[in-house]
Every structure is written in structure tokens, then in C-alpha cells.
Amino acid sequence: MTPERPPFVLSFFQDKVGHDLAAWRHPEAATETVLTLEYQARLARTAERGKFDMVFLADALTLLPENNSAFTTTFYFEPLVLLATLAAATKRIGLAATVSTSYGEPYHVARAFGTLDLLSGGRGAWNVVTSMRESEAWNFGREGSLDHATRYERAQEFLDVVRLLWRSWEPDAIVADRASGRFADPDKIHPIRHRGRHFAVEGPLNVPRSPQGEPVIVQAGASSIGKAFAARNAEVIFASTPDLRSARAFYADVKEAAVAEGRRPEAIKILPGMIPIVGRTRAEAEEKHRFLKGLLLPEAAIRYLSQWLETDLSGFDPDRPLPDIFDIERIRGQKGRFANIIDISRREKLTLGALAARVAATRTHCFMVGTAEEIADEMEAWLDGGGCDGFNILTTHLPAGLDEFVDEVVPLLQERGRFRADYEHETLRGHLGLPFDEASLERRGVSEAPRYHARLTETASA
Amino acid sequence: MTPERPPFVLSFFQDKVGHDLAAWRHPEAATETVLTLEYQARLARTAERGKFDMVFLADALTLLPENNSAFTTTFYFEPLVLLATLAAATKRIGLAATVSTSYGEPYHVARAFGTLDLLSGGRGAWNVVTSMRESEAWNFGREGSLDHATRYERAQEFLDVVRLLWRSWEPDAIVADRASGRFADPDKIHPIRHRGRHFAVEGPLNVPRSPQGEPVIVQAGASSIGKAFAARNAEVIFASTPDLRSARAFYADVKEAAVAEGRRPEAIKILPGMIPIVGRTRAEAEEKHRFLKGLLLPEAAIRYLSQWLETDLSGFDPDRPLPDIFDIERIRGQKGRFANIIDISRREKLTLGALAARVAATRTHCFMVGTAEEIADEMEAWLDGGGCDGFNILTTHLPAGLDEFVDEVVPLLQERGRFRADYEHETLRGHLGLPFDEASLERRGVSEAPRYHARLTETASA
């Protein structure tokens, strides 16, 4: 692997029975076993057999009403609990979960990811998100969600506090000298004494340092604020770009913003979501695609699109184009995703019904439909064409969509020298080539934690 | 097993390298591997080999400064993450973790335990606690901890909300009818619309119902408010009673209070903590005990006792009795534990140094030191003498303390017909003989959730 032909980074988006809104209706989908640990563990082990860098779990803090539980799999496992079971079921693959910064406590989140990272031997990653849905706010005692800018301001402080807590134990703080009776060196365990706008956290964390320094930071923001947040903080970015043209624009944009933040462009791995449909022939792949489209109820698709566009679309003619009534300034939710949908609608001149079906199947990720060779070619074209550093692999339906990719596409990438034949490292940072940077917080203006805290050596007093 | 000779309920307190403050210094303690998943999984699998009802994880929301990290293992894994790895490493044993009600959100906690309970096939349990330490408050933006009564008021509302969320999906809400495209029945998924003093939570949960109905509720309060809370809510109670006399008093007290709450006494299982030290002869067991005592640094013991009594004891003569300067009304922390310590000190006429050593080794749990036969006899005397329904087994040091109990004491209890030879049920409720009671919340005055929520069938509107 020469620098001119860099290897792919591959993440597997472990998404219930597949990413398609109607995936659960597919005869091969694991609809009956989706709630079992055995099924979830099998998926992660298959991704590990395919030498993926990591598995990734999404999340929402509500039973998405807009998805409509009548039509699709609306539930969400609590991602850290599911991820921890996957840590026990696997050995080498990285483990990423989404946790919101909008309604939790940094101390809880730092502990949970710190514990996962420690117990997994340094395989953890946190996808840092903000929560924008009104129905999420209602589960946490609020009347409505925070505005876009405040959400990101809170997210930045939340993330900084969590990272300070992860660093509150020096790597060699545990001495464990049986002879002297000295377990740890209190001079190497530091409170953080954070007093900020949103949080006041004393520390230190009660979880020691993990083998990879700290979990990898993942982000997926697509709005202008979201991209700036990602450029500043993220080490892996999940993108959602429907074609190479938009992927290139996003890639260049974020890497440039990262450089403006004083970061090396290689310190961020950009992974667009990609949904492969593999056939022995292109015709077979296209037939698979058609079959899947036939499972989608048009009503479910329109309801789903209504959610993303924050507008009830059920009264519009599905055979005509999307009405021109949308204004991104009014969107409270994912502005980047909103803009992508409007863009696809206009450029591809889709009817409302076709747009809804497209979004129900892909959100705004890209499809690659064809033989394994054709898909591998197209993946290389994206990587070599400045569109990505790898892909977040979504699937039409599970487990088949993952099995086929691992059995048919991954071996080709390995033969071509574009993907590892086996793991070469123990930690996720090792897989990704993203070493822990102890100085990364201080450099960006977060004050250093005090070196000592009296509480640690003083006896409690009355 | 006749009703006159009921079987034991056994819980294993999975506590790092053992319960003794100096456990980590023992040559057989797993001090070097305590941070690994392999070691933690091995402990749980050993407990499962011993057919224990459950493993149990304690917690604190701070790096306990009073324990002093220089002297002992002060860290705490985030318990739900650790517990989830144990779920994947085991098949039948119940899984209990401590989570505080003082600084979290009920929606997060309901999801985490709901997910654990679902993925483990109905083996989850929640030890409901309040956080009383000042240093815990400081990690969550507060200047000090809530007062005792407010902590328990918040705990009750927190618990009620979590249980309503667990019940927000009816057991048969998922239809998954591929032919019609109907995934779930929205009429069987209910918001909870809770508006209380401490929380406002809309619901429903985004996690379906678990196979055992809902996780088992565990509690360990020993103060008068704590005992009332347990009598009202708990299905398993961890007690801390140093001898059969105090165990009988606690047992009678709590069962009577449960009856006053309208509950059957059999609906609560009371498990005192017990630390076995097993020898081939009594002399060998006593020698093991002496060896362990020799590992404890007196300074560490005094610091530790200072924490429980909320008073700096380092200036007092360790060879004289505990000074008579304590007032339970001034204690902000665990009042029940405080009272037990003062009681032991007075009844057994211990010097300050001896009391500190005793508390460092046992807290206020009981020791049983002798041959396997002697320990089994004593356990039976407690069960048949009205002192308990079983035990929460603590260990001096791990993994040896658990291995010995499983290999030497459990087989005797099985031969005597006092403990299961193998698991007879799939769920923790099955092991414990505590069926899910759908009516238990309503009966105690918590309002029923509305039967329907418009959000679930309406499309999002602009």
C-alpha cells in the first residue's frame, strides 16, 4: 500500500435489520431475532471477520413518532449497553456508539465510554451528537429542543469535559505494589475542576486510563455549524452524500476547515454512508434492488419524508415534483440532511413519491449496485477521486447485506491491496492510524487540569 | 425442597479483587488483570457454574477520596457497561447493577436497564440507590448532596417513572407481519405523560418489553427512610448485618413494613452480605483470616473508618475505644451503616484500631470462617432462624474467594436440598420465584398511563 493508493477505512453501521425503511419485510431479514443478543453478536462478528475498522450504532432519545411504529422498526437499544455486549462478543474490531450531548451528564458519559474503552482493550469510539427533536426534549423535562447554536455550544463544552475526565488518570497512575501497600499514585490522578457555562464538574473520573489513551471521537454534522464542530473535534466523520460530486465538495470543505483549526488533514477520516447491493451480474443486483423497492409502502415513505422536511406531505400529489415551500432557516432538525434532500429532488427531477421512496431507502447516502467488481471499482473511484477516506457500510437488509459485502467485496479490496488482510493493531486508534494526541486539548485552548487535589490525600473531616 | 426448608437465594457481589480493603495485596488476588474483560467474565461464569441467582455490581459516582487511591482499588467501572459485557459472557445467571437516582435522567436509566433486560433474555435487576457523598454532587454541578428525605423523595419518583417507561410497550406490541407491512401495533405502545415534582417525561420508551416483564428491583437502604423505601418497592434487599441477632431484627422489621404496604412477605427476598473463609479445617480457615488481616495497613483502615463516621479519626489513640462523639442526626451519608458500626463498637468493646480493621474487612457484613460444612451449617441456621432468605456472597479476595465457595460450599447446599442443582428457569424472576406483577404500580397509587398517544399515528406537521 503506497501513499498514492491509501487503504480504505471501513465502518459497519449495525442498524437493526437494515437501513431500508421496509428492510424488516424482506424474507431474508432477521426480523424475528432482531431483539436477541445472539443476532447482534453475529453481526459484529461477521464485521470482524471482514476486518472492518469498527461497528457503529446510531441512536435517538425517543420512539420516533414520525417513523411510525406501525410501519417500521422504531425502537432503539440503549447503544452503550448493546455496544458492551458486542465488546464481549468480539476481539479486535472497533466499537462506536452514538450518545447525545443534549440531555445527559458528562460524568456519566465519560465513565461509560471510559469503561467500554478499558474493558475492550482500547477499541471504543464516541459519535458525538446533539438532539434536535421536540419529542426527545419531552422525555427530559423540557418543552422543546435547544436552538441549533446552543445545542452545539453545549456539545463543545460537554465533549471538552468528557475528554478532560478521560485524561484525569495518567497512564501509569496505578502502581499496585503489593510489598509497600501502595495501590495508586495520587499525584497522577487529577481533578479537572471544570466550571463552565453549562457544566460544573470536579473530577477526577473514577475509571483509569484506557489502553488507547481515550476513545476515538466520531461526528456526523452536515450543517455549517455541524461541519465546523466536526473540523474542530472529530477524528472520524460520517458523511451522507448521494454521489461523488457532493462527496468531493464535503470532503474538501471539511479538510480545509480542519487545517484552518490547526489540524493535519490526515487526522480526520471521512466516511460517507454507502449501501451496496451485490449481484453475480449487474442484472441480478438490479433485480434485488427492484424487489426491495416493492416492499416499501408508499404511505410509510411519505410519512418518513415528512419527518425530514418537517412538513406534512400527505396532502400533496405523489406524482408531481416536491412543492417549492421549504426554507432551511425554519428547519429545527438536521439542516445538512434537509439541504441534501432538497438538492437531490431538484437535480434529479424526482416526483414526490420517488423522492420519498429514495429517502426511505437511503436517507441521503449513496447506493452502489452491481457485481462485487463493479462496487469495488466504484469504491476505489471515490477514494482516489478525493471523495472519502473509506465508507460507513449501510445495508439494505441484515444479515444478508453484510454477509454478501464481507464475502464478496472485501476479498477483492484485499486482493487489490486496498484493505487489510488481517488486523495489524490491538486498538481502534491503531486500526485507523490515529494515535492519541495528549496535547490536543490544551492546544485548542482548554485549560490544563490542576495537577493535584487535596481531597485525594486528606482524610474526610467532620 | 419443602416449604419448611426453603432454598437459598444466592447473589455474588462482584467487587474488583475482593471486598477487603487490602484484598489487592493478597498474592492470589487478580490485581494485575482486574481491569480486563476476561477476568470480569471469568468471575461471572464461575458464579454461573455455582448456579447463583445473580451477580451484583456496586457503584459510586466519584473516585472515593476517603478510600484513598494510594491504599486501595478506588476506581469503579460504569456498572451497566460492565454488566452488559457479563450478559454476553453468561447464559442464565441474573445480572444486577447499582445506578443512582440522584444525578441522572429516568429515561436514560429505563433504556439502559430495559436494553440489558431484553438482550439478556430477562436477567436484569436494578439496585436503586441515592447518592449522599459531597464529592458525588461536585461531579454533577451541585455544591452539595441533597438532604436525606429529598434524596428518597426523588428516588421514589425516579423509580416510578422508570417502571412506567418499562411498561409503556405491551408485551405483544410487535406484530411484524411481513405480508401486511404492519410492524407494531401503536395502540399497544403508550406514552406515560408523567408530570411530577422532580421529572416530566412524556414517553413511551423506545425499547420494547423484556421477557421477564421488567427488571427486578433491588434495594439496600438501612436507615428508617431507606427501609420504608425498600419495603414499598424492593423485590430483593441487600442487608448488612454483622450477626444473626441483628439480621433477625432487620428481617422482621422489613417484612412487617412490607405487609403494612399491602405486600406479601414472600415478595421480598432479604439477602445479608456474608464473607466466607473456607478451610479444610477450622484452623486452616482461621489462618487464612489472620494472613489477610496482616495485609491491612492500620493507617488505611483508620482513613476508611473516618469516611463512614464522617469524622477524622487519625488523631485518636487506636488502642483505646472509639470516642463517644457521634450523633446520627449529623450524618449526611449512610445512616443505617453508621448505626451498625457504632453498635458493633459498643457491643464488642473493640478498640478504635480493631474496629477500623473490622470495618475495612467486612464493612458491617458478617464473616463465616470454618470448614465448608461449618459454613453451610451456619448459613442454614440463618435461613431457618428467620435471619434471611439467602445471602449476598462477598469475598475476601478474588477469584479464590469465589472459587472456594462454589467448589466447596455450594455442593453441600445442593446435597442438603437447600440450593438448585441447575437452573430451572430462563429469567431472573424465574430463579427468584418473583413473577412480574403488572398491577403493582397502579395498586400503589401511580396513575395509569394514557392508553394512546396521537403522536404515534399522526404525521409530523410543519
Side-chain angles (χ1 to χ4, degrees):
Chain A
M1 299 183 188
T2 66
E4 296 75 45
R5 290 173 53 77
F8 282 98
V9 173
L10 291 182
S11 164
F12 165 54
F13 188 143
Q14 183 156 336
D15 189 8
K16 291 174 265 195
V17 292
H19 206 63
D20 193 287
L21 205 66
W24 69 273
R25 295 186 72 192
H26 198 289
E28 293 171 2
T31 305
E32 284 68 29
T33 55
V34 62
L35 298 177
T36 67
L37 197 151
E38 289 69 25
Y39 164 74
Q40 299 289 341
R42 177 198 185 289
L43 290 180
R45 282 195 286 254
T46 302
E48 187 167 66
R49 179 163 63 77
K51 314 302 176 193
F52 276 64
D53 292 83
M54 60 184 168
V55 296
F56 163 70
L57 304 176
D59 196 32
L61 295 174
T62 173
L63 184 68
L64 294 176
E66 307 86 349
N67 281 7
N68 203 315
S69 53
F71 292 116
T72 191
T73 51
T74 53
F75 60 85
Y76 272 102
F77 291 117
E78 198 285 323
L80 273 159
V81 167
L82 173 53
L83 199 66
T85 68
L86 303 183
T90 57
K91 295 285 181 200
R92 302 290 286 276
I93 195 166
L95 304 156
T98 301
V99 171
S100 173
T101 54
S102 297
Y103 305 114
E105 291 279 355
Y107 199 84
H108 288 318
V109 172
R111 287 188 77 198
F113 276 107
T115 300
L116 179 91
D117 207 27
L118 196 51
L119 288 175
S120 67
R123 297 189 282 138
W126 173 24
N127 180 33
V128 183
V129 302
T130 68
S131 298
M132 78 293 288
R133 299 183 184 88
E134 298 297 291
S135 64
E136 295 180 299
W138 301 340
N139 288 329
F140 297 92
R142 303 200 188 177
E143 288 306 307
S145 55
L146 301 172
D147 70 80
H148 196 71
T150 306
R151 285 207 309 270
Y152 275 99
E153 179 193 276
R154 182 182 154 107
Q156 185 66 57
E157 188 180 334
F158 195 116
L159 172 58
D160 287 341
V161 170
V162 167
R163 293 180 71 201
L164 287 169
L165 287 168
W166 285 336
R167 293 162 187 228
S168 61
W169 288 58
E170 295 187 31
D172 56 351
I174 294 181
V175 180
D177 178 19
R178 285 181 168 83
S180 67
R182 186 175 175 81
F183 180 73
D185 181 350
D187 289 348
K188 294 184 173 172
I189 306 171
H190 312 287
I192 69 167
R193 289 187 174 153
H194 174 83
R195 298 284 178 279
R197 181 177 166 124
H198 299 276
F199 305 105
V201 179
E202 180 69 11
L205 198 63
N206 55 5
V207 178
R209 184 75 70 100
S210 102
Q212 70 171 348
E214 69 185 21
V216 172
I217 299 300
V218 182
Q219 226 273 330
S223 67
S224 56
I225 295 181
K227 278 193 283 194
F229 182 86
R232 183 164 196 245
N233 301 289
E235 301 177 278
V236 172
I237 294 179
F238 291 147
S240 184
T241 45
D243 49 40
L244 179 52
R245 184 196 60 83
S246 58
R248 273 202 193 107
F250 182 88
Y251 189 90
D253 204 11
V254 172
K255 296 261 172 161
E256 189 181 328
V259 170
E261 289 279 348
R263 302 180 67 197
R264 293 176 306 113
E266 314 85 67
I268 302 183
K269 306 299 181 189
I270 297 179
L271 312 183
M274 189 273 275
I275 307 173
I277 302 185
V278 191
R280 278 165 301 180
T281 61
R282 175 183 282 261
E284 186 185 78
E286 283 169 353
E287 176 51 35
K288 281 183 173 183
H289 196 182
R290 259 191 305 279
F291 178 80
L292 203 78
K293 285 179 179 170
L295 299 175
L296 181 68
L297 299 180
E299 181 188 355
I302 293 286
R303 282 174 188 251
Y304 186 67
L305 183 62
S306 295
Q307 173 206 344
W308 287 110
L309 301 185
E310 297 181 13
T311 303
D312 182 356
L313 298 169
S314 59
F316 294 95
D317 184 348
D319 297 324
R320 301 198 54 196
L322 188 68
D324 189 18
I325 58 173
F326 299 99
D327 176 4
I328 195 165
E329 295 306 319
R330 285 180 41 237
I331 293 296
R332 296 184 57 85
Q334 293 189 26
K335 288 178 189 285
R337 194 66 68 95
F338 172 89
N340 277 344
I341 292 172
I342 300 294
D343 187 49
I344 290 171
S345 164
R346 288 183 185 153
R347 274 192 305 113
E348 304 192 13
K349 299 188 172 45
L350 300 174
T351 64
L352 170 59
L355 179 68
R358 166 77 169 271
V359 171
T362 69
R363 283 52 166 172
T364 57
H365 299 295
C366 78
F367 262 122
M368 293 190 187
V369 184
T371 64
E373 286 76 12
E374 287 169 334
I375 291 173
D377 291 347
E378 195 172 352
M379 290 175 71
E380 288 197 82
W382 280 53
L383 183 61
D384 297 334
C388 68
D389 297 307
F391 290 97
N392 190 19
I393 301 298
L394 291 71
T395 55
T396 54
H397 61 290
L398 287 167
L402 177 64
D403 292 345
E404 289 167 7
F405 186 84
V406 165
D407 292 334
E408 295 166 35
V409 180
V410 167
L412 284 181
L413 300 177
Q414 290 169 327
E415 281 171 27
R416 297 178 186 186
R418 304 303 295 264
F419 194 57
R420 68 175 67 83
D422 199 356
Y423 292 108
E424 292 156 13
H425 299 272
E426 298 297 322
T427 67
L428 176 56
R429 290 190 176 280
H431 304 337
L432 296 170
L434 292 172
F436 173 61
D437 180 359
E438 181 76 57
S440 60
L441 271 183
E442 282 77 6
R443 197 182 59 215
R444 298 213 302 284
V446 175
S447 64
E448 195 187 357
R451 300 297 293 174
Y452 195 78
H453 187 202
R455 281 203 305 121
L456 281 167
T457 50
E458 283 172 5
T459 309
S461 54
Chain B
M1 298 181 189
T2 68
E4 295 77 40
R5 289 173 53 77
F8 282 98
V9 173
L10 290 182
S11 164
F12 165 54
F13 189 145
Q14 183 158 336
D15 188 9
K16 292 174 265 193
V17 291
H19 206 64
D20 193 287
L21 205 65
W24 69 274
R25 295 186 71 192
H26 198 289
E28 292 171 5
T31 305
E32 284 68 29
T33 55
V34 63
L35 298 178
T36 67
L37 197 151
E38 291 68 25
Y39 164 74
Q40 299 289 340
R42 177 199 186 286
L43 290 180
R45 282 195 287 254
T46 302
E48 187 167 65
R49 179 163 63 78
K51 314 302 175 192
F52 275 65
D53 292 83
M54 59 184 168
V55 296
F56 162 71
L57 304 176
D59 197 31
L61 296 174
T62 173
L63 184 68
L64 295 176
E66 307 87 348
N67 281 8
N68 203 315
S69 53
F71 292 116
T72 191
T73 51
T74 52
F75 61 85
Y76 272 101
F77 291 117
E78 199 285 323
L80 275 158
V81 167
L82 174 53
L83 199 67
T85 68
L86 303 182
T90 57
K91 296 285 180 200
R92 302 291 285 275
I93 194 166
L95 304 156
T98 301
V99 171
S100 173
T101 54
S102 297
Y103 305 114
E105 291 280 354
Y107 199 83
H108 288 318
V109 172
R111 288 188 78 200
F113 276 108
T115 299
L116 180 90
D117 207 26
L118 195 52
L119 288 175
S120 67
R123 298 189 281 140
W126 174 23
N127 179 34
V128 183
V129 302
T130 68
S131 298
M132 78 293 288
R133 298 184 186 88
E134 299 297 292
S135 64
E136 294 180 301
W138 301 340
N139 288 330
F140 297 92
R142 302 201 189 178
E143 288 306 307
S145 56
L146 300 171
D147 70 81
H148 196 70
T150 306
R151 284 207 309 269
Y152 273 98
E153 180 193 276
R154 181 182 156 107
Q156 185 66 57
E157 188 180 335
F158 195 116
L159 173 59
D160 288 342
V161 171
V162 168
R163 293 181 70 201
L164 286 169
L165 287 168
W166 284 336
R167 293 162 186 229
S168 61
W169 287 59
E170 294 187 30
D172 56 351
I174 294 181
V175 181
D177 179 20
R178 283 183 169 82
S180 68
R182 187 175 174 79
F183 180 75
D185 181 350
D187 289 349
K188 294 184 173 173
I189 305 171
H190 311 286
I192 69 167
R193 289 185 173 154
H194 174 82
R195 298 284 180 276
R197 182 177 166 124
H198 298 277
F199 305 104
V201 180
E202 180 70 10
L205 198 62
N206 54 4
V207 179
R209 185 75 71 98
S210 102
Q212 69 171 347
E214 67 185 22
V216 172
I217 300 299
V218 182
Q219 225 274 331
S223 67
S224 56
I225 295 181
K227 278 193 284 194
F229 182 87
R232 182 164 198 248
N233 301 289
E235 302 177 277
V236 172
I237 294 179
F238 292 146
S240 184
T241 44
D243 49 40
L244 179 51
R245 184 197 60 82
S246 58
R248 273 202 192 103
F250 182 87
Y251 189 90
D253 204 10
V254 172
K255 296 263 170 161
E256 189 180 326
V259 170
E261 290 279 348
R263 303 179 68 196
R264 293 176 304 113
E266 315 83 70
I268 303 184
K269 307 298 182 191
I270 298 178
L271 312 183
M274 188 271 276
I275 307 172
I277 301 186
V278 191
R280 279 165 299 181
T281 62
R282 176 184 281 263
E284 188 185 76
E286 285 171 351
E287 176 50 34
K288 281 183 175 183
H289 197 182
R290 257 193 304 279
F291 178 79
L292 204 77
K293 285 179 179 171
L295 298 175
L296 181 67
L297 299 181
E299 180 188 355
I302 292 286
R303 281 173 188 251
Y304 186 66
L305 183 62
S306 295
Q307 173 206 343
W308 287 109
L309 301 185
E310 297 182 12
T311 303
D312 182 356
L313 298 168
S314 59
F316 294 96
D317 184 347
D319 296 324
R320 301 199 54 194
L322 189 68
D324 190 18
I325 57 174
F326 299 99
D327 176 5
I328 196 166
E329 295 307 318
R330 284 180 41 238
I331 292 294
R332 294 185 58 85
Q334 293 189 29
K335 288 179 189 284
R337 193 66 69 92
F338 171 89
N340 277 344
I341 292 171
I342 301 294
D343 188 49
I344 290 171
S345 163
R346 288 184 185 149
R347 275 191 306 110
E348 303 191 16
K349 299 186 172 45
L350 299 175
T351 63
L352 171 58
L355 179 68
R358 166 77 168 271
V359 171
T362 70
R363 282 55 165 174
T364 57
H365 299 295
C366 78
F367 262 123
M368 294 190 185
V369 183
T371 64
E373 287 75 11
E374 287 169 335
I375 290 172
D377 290 347
E378 195 172 350
M379 290 175 70
E380 287 198 83
W382 279 52
L383 183 62
D384 296 334
C388 69
D389 296 308
F391 289 97
N392 191 19
I393 301 297
L394 291 72
T395 53
T396 53
H397 61 291
L398 286 167
L402 177 64
D403 291 344
E404 289 168 7
F405 186 84
V406 165
D407 292 334
E408 295 167 33
V409 181
V410 167
L412 285 180
L413 300 178
Q414 290 169 326
E415 281 170 28
R416 297 178 186 184
R418 303 305 295 265
F419 195 56
R420 66 176 67 83
D422 200 354
Y423 292 108
E424 293 157 13
H425 300 272
E426 299 297 322
T427 67
L428 176 56
R429 290 189 175 280
H431 304 336
L432 295 170
L434 292 172
F436 173 61
D437 180 0
E438 182 76 55
S440 59
L441 270 183
E442 284 77 5
R443 197 181 58 214
R444 299 213 302 283
V446 175
S447 64
E448 195 188 358
R451 299 297 289 174
Y452 195 78
H453 187 204
R455 281 203 303 123
L456 281 169
T457 49
E458 284 172 5
T459 307
S461 55

